[in-house]
PDB file of all heavy atoms in Angstrom:
ATOM      1  N   VAL A  68      -1.793   2.440 -29.701  1.00  0.00           N
ATOM      2  CA  VAL A  68      -2.244   3.053 -28.451  1.00  0.00           C
ATOM      3  C   VAL A  68      -3.758   3.074 -28.312  1.00  0.00           C
ATOM      4  O   VAL A  68      -4.265   3.192 -27.197  1.00  0.00           O
ATOM      5  CB  VAL A  68      -1.693   4.494 -28.335  1.00  0.00           C
ATOM      6  CG1 VAL A  68      -0.184   4.475 -28.254  1.00  0.00           C
ATOM      7  CG2 VAL A  68      -2.143   5.362 -29.505  1.00  0.00           C
ATOM      8  N   ASN A  69      -4.497   2.986 -29.382  1.00  0.00           N
ATOM      9  CA  ASN A  69      -5.954   3.007 -29.308  1.00  0.00           C
ATOM     10  C   ASN A  69      -6.488   1.586 -29.264  1.00  0.00           C
ATOM     11  O   ASN A  69      -6.174   0.761 -30.129  1.00  0.00           O
ATOM     12  CB  ASN A  69      -6.542   3.754 -30.513  1.00  0.00           C
ATOM     13  CG  ASN A  69      -8.050   3.868 -30.442  1.00  0.00           C
ATOM     14  OD1 ASN A  69      -8.773   2.978 -30.904  1.00  0.00           O
ATOM     15  ND2 ASN A  69      -8.534   4.947 -29.853  1.00  0.00           N
ATOM     16  N   GLU A  70      -7.304   1.304 -28.243  1.00  0.00           N
ATOM     17  CA  GLU A  70      -7.759  -0.072 -28.033  1.00  0.00           C
ATOM     18  C   GLU A  70      -8.685  -0.565 -29.138  1.00  0.00           C
ATOM     19  O   GLU A  70      -8.642  -1.741 -29.522  1.00  0.00           O
ATOM     20  CB  GLU A  70      -8.464  -0.197 -26.674  1.00  0.00           C
ATOM     21  CG  GLU A  70      -9.607   0.760 -26.445  1.00  0.00           C
ATOM     22  CD  GLU A  70      -9.166   2.093 -25.848  1.00  0.00           C
ATOM     23  OE1 GLU A  70      -7.980   2.427 -25.982  1.00  0.00           O
ATOM     24  OE2 GLU A  70     -10.018   2.797 -25.275  1.00  0.00           O
ATOM     25  N   ASP A  71      -9.540   0.308 -29.677  1.00  0.00           N
ATOM     26  CA  ASP A  71     -10.475  -0.125 -30.721  1.00  0.00           C
ATOM     27  C   ASP A  71      -9.746  -0.424 -32.025  1.00  0.00           C
ATOM     28  O   ASP A  71      -9.977  -1.461 -32.659  1.00  0.00           O
ATOM     29  CB  ASP A  71     -11.538   0.949 -30.957  1.00  0.00           C
ATOM     30  CG  ASP A  71     -12.515   1.052 -29.804  1.00  0.00           C
ATOM     31  OD1 ASP A  71     -12.698   0.031 -29.105  1.00  0.00           O
ATOM     32  OD2 ASP A  71     -13.092   2.129 -29.588  1.00  0.00           O
ATOM     33  N   LEU A  72      -8.879   0.482 -32.432  1.00  0.00           N
ATOM     34  CA  LEU A  72      -8.127   0.266 -33.665  1.00  0.00           C
ATOM     35  C   LEU A  72      -7.190  -0.928 -33.527  1.00  0.00           C
ATOM     36  O   LEU A  72      -7.044  -1.737 -34.458  1.00  0.00           O
ATOM     37  CB  LEU A  72      -7.343   1.530 -34.021  1.00  0.00           C
ATOM     38  CG  LEU A  72      -6.554   1.519 -35.337  1.00  0.00           C
ATOM     39  CD1 LEU A  72      -7.464   1.170 -36.498  1.00  0.00           C
ATOM     40  CD2 LEU A  72      -5.893   2.865 -35.570  1.00  0.00           C
ATOM     41  N   GLY A  73      -6.553  -1.067 -32.359  1.00  0.00           N
ATOM     42  CA  GLY A  73      -5.664  -2.202 -32.133  1.00  0.00           C
ATOM     43  C   GLY A  73      -6.401  -3.522 -32.149  1.00  0.00           C
ATOM     44  O   GLY A  73      -5.918  -4.514 -32.712  1.00  0.00           O
ATOM     45  N   LEU A  74      -7.604  -3.551 -31.540  1.00  0.00           N
ATOM     46  CA  LEU A  74      -8.390  -4.791 -31.517  1.00  0.00           C
ATOM     47  C   LEU A  74      -8.861  -5.172 -32.913  1.00  0.00           C
ATOM     48  O   LEU A  74      -8.802  -6.343 -33.303  1.00  0.00           O
ATOM     49  CB  LEU A  74      -9.592  -4.614 -30.588  1.00  0.00           C
ATOM     50  CG  LEU A  74     -10.570  -5.792 -30.510  1.00  0.00           C
ATOM     51  CD1 LEU A  74      -9.879  -7.045 -29.980  1.00  0.00           C
ATOM     52  CD2 LEU A  74     -11.771  -5.439 -29.645  1.00  0.00           C
ATOM     53  N   ALA A  75      -9.347  -4.185 -33.675  1.00  0.00           N
ATOM     54  CA  ALA A  75      -9.830  -4.467 -35.031  1.00  0.00           C
ATOM     55  C   ALA A  75      -8.706  -5.022 -35.897  1.00  0.00           C
ATOM     56  O   ALA A  75      -8.889  -6.008 -36.624  1.00  0.00           O
ATOM     57  CB  ALA A  75     -10.411  -3.200 -35.658  1.00  0.00           C
ATOM     58  N   LEU A  76      -7.523  -4.412 -35.820  1.00  0.00           N
ATOM     59  CA  LEU A  76      -6.401  -4.870 -36.629  1.00  0.00           C
ATOM     60  C   LEU A  76      -5.952  -6.270 -36.197  1.00  0.00           C
ATOM     61  O   LEU A  76      -5.665  -7.134 -37.040  1.00  0.00           O
ATOM     62  CB  LEU A  76      -5.240  -3.886 -36.516  1.00  0.00           C
ATOM     63  CG  LEU A  76      -3.987  -4.222 -37.320  1.00  0.00           C
ATOM     64  CD1 LEU A  76      -4.302  -4.263 -38.816  1.00  0.00           C
ATOM     65  CD2 LEU A  76      -2.872  -3.220 -37.060  1.00  0.00           C
ATOM     66  N   PHE A  77      -5.902  -6.507 -34.889  1.00  0.00           N
ATOM     67  CA  PHE A  77      -5.477  -7.812 -34.389  1.00  0.00           C
ATOM     68  C   PHE A  77      -6.436  -8.913 -34.845  1.00  0.00           C
ATOM     69  O   PHE A  77      -6.003  -9.982 -35.296  1.00  0.00           O
ATOM     70  CB  PHE A  77      -5.416  -7.774 -32.858  1.00  0.00           C
ATOM     71  CG  PHE A  77      -4.974  -9.065 -32.237  1.00  0.00           C
ATOM     72  CD1 PHE A  77      -3.630  -9.403 -32.169  1.00  0.00           C
ATOM     73  CD2 PHE A  77      -5.899  -9.956 -31.717  1.00  0.00           C
ATOM     74  CE1 PHE A  77      -3.219 -10.603 -31.605  1.00  0.00           C
ATOM     75  CE2 PHE A  77      -5.500 -11.152 -31.151  1.00  0.00           C
ATOM     76  CZ  PHE A  77      -4.155 -11.472 -31.093  1.00  0.00           C
ATOM     77  N   ASP A  78      -7.742  -8.647 -34.745  1.00  0.00           N
ATOM     78  CA  ASP A  78      -8.729  -9.652 -35.173  1.00  0.00           C
ATOM     79  C   ASP A  78      -8.632  -9.918 -36.673  1.00  0.00           C
ATOM     80  O   ASP A  78      -8.747 -11.074 -37.120  1.00  0.00           O
ATOM     81  CB  ASP A  78     -10.146  -9.183 -34.826  1.00  0.00           C
ATOM     82  CG  ASP A  78     -10.426  -9.250 -33.332  1.00  0.00           C
ATOM     83  OD1 ASP A  78      -9.674  -9.955 -32.619  1.00  0.00           O
ATOM     84  OD2 ASP A  78     -11.381  -8.600 -32.869  1.00  0.00           O
ATOM     85  N   LEU A  79      -8.432  -8.872 -37.464  1.00  0.00           N
ATOM     86  CA  LEU A  79      -8.345  -9.050 -38.912  1.00  0.00           C
ATOM     87  C   LEU A  79      -7.113  -9.860 -39.296  1.00  0.00           C
ATOM     88  O   LEU A  79      -7.163 -10.677 -40.226  1.00  0.00           O
ATOM     89  CB  LEU A  79      -8.314  -7.683 -39.604  1.00  0.00           C
ATOM     90  CG  LEU A  79      -9.624  -6.893 -39.572  1.00  0.00           C
ATOM     91  CD1 LEU A  79      -9.419  -5.483 -40.103  1.00  0.00           C
ATOM     92  CD2 LEU A  79     -10.707  -7.603 -40.371  1.00  0.00           C
ATOM     93  N   ILE A  80      -6.017  -9.658 -38.578  1.00  0.00           N
ATOM     94  CA  ILE A  80      -4.810 -10.445 -38.862  1.00  0.00           C
ATOM     95  C   ILE A  80      -5.054 -11.909 -38.551  1.00  0.00           C
ATOM     96  O   ILE A  80      -4.700 -12.801 -39.339  1.00  0.00           O
ATOM     97  CB  ILE A  80      -3.624  -9.899 -38.046  1.00  0.00           C
ATOM     98  CG1 ILE A  80      -3.222  -8.512 -38.549  1.00  0.00           C
ATOM     99  CG2 ILE A  80      -2.427 -10.843 -38.151  1.00  0.00           C
ATOM    100  CD1 ILE A  80      -2.142  -7.851 -37.712  1.00  0.00           C
ATOM    101  N   GLN A  81      -5.678 -12.182 -37.389  1.00  0.00           N
ATOM    102  CA  GLN A  81      -5.912 -13.566 -36.996  1.00  0.00           C
ATOM    103  C   GLN A  81      -6.877 -14.270 -37.943  1.00  0.00           C
ATOM    104  O   GLN A  81      -6.709 -15.457 -38.259  1.00  0.00           O
ATOM    105  CB  GLN A  81      -6.479 -13.612 -35.559  1.00  0.00           C
ATOM    106  CG  GLN A  81      -5.579 -12.955 -34.526  1.00  0.00           C
ATOM    107  CD  GLN A  81      -4.186 -13.542 -34.510  1.00  0.00           C
ATOM    108  OE1 GLN A  81      -4.017 -14.756 -34.475  1.00  0.00           O
ATOM    109  NE2 GLN A  81      -3.184 -12.684 -34.541  1.00  0.00           N
ATOM    110  N   LEU A  82      -7.901 -13.553 -38.399  1.00  0.00           N
ATOM    111  CA  LEU A  82      -8.891 -14.166 -39.287  1.00  0.00           C
ATOM    112  C   LEU A  82      -8.358 -14.326 -40.710  1.00  0.00           C
ATOM    113  O   LEU A  82      -8.728 -15.276 -41.412  1.00  0.00           O
ATOM    114  CB  LEU A  82     -10.172 -13.320 -39.312  1.00  0.00           C
ATOM    115  CG  LEU A  82     -11.015 -13.302 -38.038  1.00  0.00           C
ATOM    116  CD1 LEU A  82     -12.148 -12.295 -38.145  1.00  0.00           C
ATOM    117  CD2 LEU A  82     -11.588 -14.692 -37.748  1.00  0.00           C
TER     118      LEU A  82
END
Side-chain angles (χ1 to χ4, degrees):
V68 296
N69 183 272
E70 55 272 21
D71 289 333
L72 184 55
L74 177 61
L76 181 61
F77 181 81
D78 288 342
L79 289 172
I80 292 175
Q81 302 304 311
L82 291 173

